[in-house]
Amino acid sequence: MNTLAAILLLFGNLGTTEVIIIFVVILLLFGGKKIPELMHGLGKGVRSFKKGMNEIEEEINTPPTPDNKEKSKEEQK
């Protein structure tokens, strides 16, 4: 069995009780003050990733523009 399938099987059958226990353990490990900071950092990371993806998508979808060298050659003619 590959690793992805094992991970999906592990987390695919989580019930309400298990999720609550996981949240309590996270709360105990990081504390009440640290969790918002962690979520803020996670949000910044996701936002930065989306921005990068949008920039790459725009770069792929926009038609290429001629280089400055090509423009100067056309102006000389």
Side-chain angles (χ1 to χ4, degrees):
M1 180 184 306
N2 63 23
T3 308
L4 181 61
I7 292 171
L8 290 175
L9 285 175
L10 178 66
F11 293 113
N13 296 326
L14 286 179
T16 307
T17 309
E18 289 89 0
V19 172
I20 291 172
I21 291 172
I22 290 170
F23 283 130
V24 168
V25 169
I26 290 172
L27 184 63
L28 290 173
L29 288 175
F30 295 109
K33 292 184 179 180
K34 197 70 174 171
I35 291 176
E37 294 174 15
L38 291 171
M39 293 300 115
H40 183 70
L42 183 65
K44 278 186 176 180
V46 169
R47 205 173 310 121
S48 174
F49 179 75
K50 284 183 179 181
K51 181 181 176 187
M53 291 296 294
N54 288 336
E55 289 175 358
I56 290 173
E57 191 173 304
E58 287 176 10
E59 188 175 317
I60 290 172
N61 291 334
T62 56
T65 57
D67 293 337
N68 290 336
K69 292 178 183 179
E70 293 176 9
K71 286 182 183 178
S72 62
K73 287 179 183 178
E74 291 174 2
E75 291 174 357
Q76 290 175 356
K77 290 182 182 180

